[in-house]
Amino acid sequence: MRRILFTLPGNEGLATAIATAMDAEQGALSLRHFPDGESYVRILSDVKGKQAIVVCTLHRPDEKLLPLMYLCRALKDLGATTITLVAPYLSYMRQDKAFQPGEAVTSAYFAALLSSFTDGLVTIDPHLHRRSTLQEIYTVPCEVLHASSLISAWIKKHVKEPVLIGPDSESEQWVSVVAHDADAPFTVLEKTRLGDADVRVTVPHVERYADRTPVLVDDIISTARTMIETVGHLKAMGLKAPWCIGTHGVFAGRAYEDLLAAGAARVITCNTIPHSSNAIDVSSLIVPALEHLLKEKHLPITDPTQP
Ligand code: R5P
């Protein structure tokens, strides 16, 4: 089966790496906005009878969702056999329950929407907190990948005598794996979030690691308040300037600059979201998972307009 890969703006680097590794044709698109702000999508390549792969990481999802849906629906209308979405960062995973009465549980609604116009999803370290698998909310087959092995290899290569620090007790399961593979000790913090950008952390006794380089690892750096708070505590306790590693560098507003200004020695992210801090390439994870999904698990798309 022939494959054709389409890229939404901002994903070109990763998409080219995937297309090259899979020997897939790169599809041509015309995307723009009409003067009134509505989206225009035109597919310029022949997609009939081909397996379409769409690469679109989903930070700032509200502005991406409609063009993405229009593209996927048009691919199907033009005869693509399957639509597989590669979204290295999957958004709307943190609102996984109503914390206040009346709140929308957007992780479930978002999952239903993506599942309605795709046949499969490949993603990396989605924020699974109160849910144990994506299949609890996604009705299409999902390949969930983990960047932990790439992060530990990077730490092993670049940081001398590290001690890994996780932001909260939930992170222990994967920080312990990264630490084990990087041959480093680790500890985790107690974190309380009081608001979108108001985070308090309690740092356990880390004085014994005074000779080591602290490496903060988290799945998401969004406002960076979690890391900024931690950096402040570690500095106050006399530790070396920490390195901060996030799988997904969302960096809301001036989060990146603020984190550096707070005293982070370096800020490193995976290229799941394009950013100048990207240093860990995830394309080697995506290609085999995509092959597996395309060969083994693909289901025909269901047309929500048909009874
Ligand atoms: C939360 O549970 C996540 O693991 C991260 O700790 C969180 O998303 C980081 O957010 P922020 O950068 O806004 O503190």
Side-chain angles (χ1 to χ4, degrees):
M1 179 77 68
R2 285 173 302 160
R3 287 144 184 196
I4 185 161
L5 185 140
F6 290 89
T7 310
L8 270 85
N11 300 273
E12 291 80 2
L14 195 55
T16 301
I18 296 169
T20 306
M22 296 184 78
D23 198 20
E25 175 187 354
Q26 294 228 45
L29 277 180
S30 172
L31 292 177
R32 65 183 175 86
H33 286 106
F34 289 107
D36 60 4
E38 293 183 2
S39 296
Y40 171 87
V41 177
R42 182 177 174 206
I43 295 163
L44 301 168
S45 305
D46 177 18
V47 298
K48 196 168 174 54
K50 298 178 187 171
Q51 289 181 316
I53 299 161
V54 177
V55 183
C56 179
T57 202
L58 285 168
H59 64 305
R60 294 197 213 99
D62 293 17
E63 64 198 52
K64 294 185 178 149
L65 197 61
L66 277 179
L68 174 63
M69 183 185 76
Y70 296 149
L71 170 61
C72 293
R73 296 298 300 260
L75 285 168
K76 199 69 196 172
D77 285 347
L78 291 170
T81 56
T82 53
I83 319 290
T84 303
L85 174 63
V86 177
Y89 174 66
L90 188 60
S91 47
Y92 279 114
M93 288 301 295
R94 289 184 287 176
Q95 186 81 33
D96 57 1
K97 74 169 199 175
F99 298 93
Q100 305 287 332
E103 282 180 352
V105 183
T106 48
S107 66
Y109 309 153
F110 191 71
L113 199 55
L114 285 192
S115 298
S116 73
F117 58 81
T118 59
D119 295 313
L121 170 69
V122 177
T123 190
I124 298 179
D125 288 321
H127 189 77
L128 287 166
H129 179 185
R130 278 160 284 263
R131 299 187 197 281
S132 46
T133 72
L134 277 187
Q135 300 302 169
E136 289 175 32
I137 47 176
Y138 281 79
T139 56
V140 292
C142 300
E143 287 280 338
V144 173
L145 309 170
H146 302 286
S148 50
S149 59
L150 300 175
I151 294 174
S152 21
W154 193 93
I155 293 171
K156 231 172 156 171
K157 187 166 173 197
H158 294 94
V159 192
K160 280 193 189 133
E161 298 287 312
V163 52
L164 269 61
I165 299 179
D168 47 34
S169 51
E170 298 135 36
S171 67
E172 178 160 356
Q173 43 179 334
W174 68 277
V175 172
S176 60
V177 173
V178 175
H180 175 268
D181 292 350
D183 297 327
F186 76 95
T187 187
V188 293
L189 316 178
E190 289 298 319
K191 176 170 106 177
T192 313
R193 185 177 283 279
L194 304 169
D196 288 348
D198 188 0
V199 172
R200 305 287 154 84
V201 293
T202 314
V203 181
H205 295 291
V206 287
E207 298 84 350
R208 62 185 183 281
Y209 298 124
D211 292 339
R212 289 185 170 261
T213 300
V215 180
L216 312 188
V217 281
D218 205 348
D219 58 346
I220 301 169
I221 310 176
S222 180
T223 64
R225 286 297 133 189
T226 304
M227 289 212 171
I228 289 170
E229 269 285 300
T230 311
V231 168
H233 280 288
L234 296 177
K235 272 169 67 179
M237 293 171 100
L239 267 75
K240 294 182 185 170
W243 295 39
C244 297
I245 302 183
T247 305
H248 307 293
V250 173
F251 297 124
R254 291 188 51 79
Y256 177 68
E257 291 76 9
D258 291 349
L259 182 52
L260 287 171
R266 278 191 71 179
V267 180
I268 298 296
T269 57
C270 299
N271 59 344
T272 59
I273 297 174
H275 189 263
S276 58
S277 61
N278 291 168
I280 302 172
D281 177 24
V282 294
S283 56
S284 63
L285 293 178
I286 293 173
V287 171
L290 201 43
E291 290 283 7
H292 180 251
L293 194 58
L294 290 169
K295 284 193 184 129
E296 309 287 337
K297 288 194 185 173
H298 241 162
L299 304 175
I301 197 164
T302 48
D303 183 349
T305 64
Q306 299 300 310

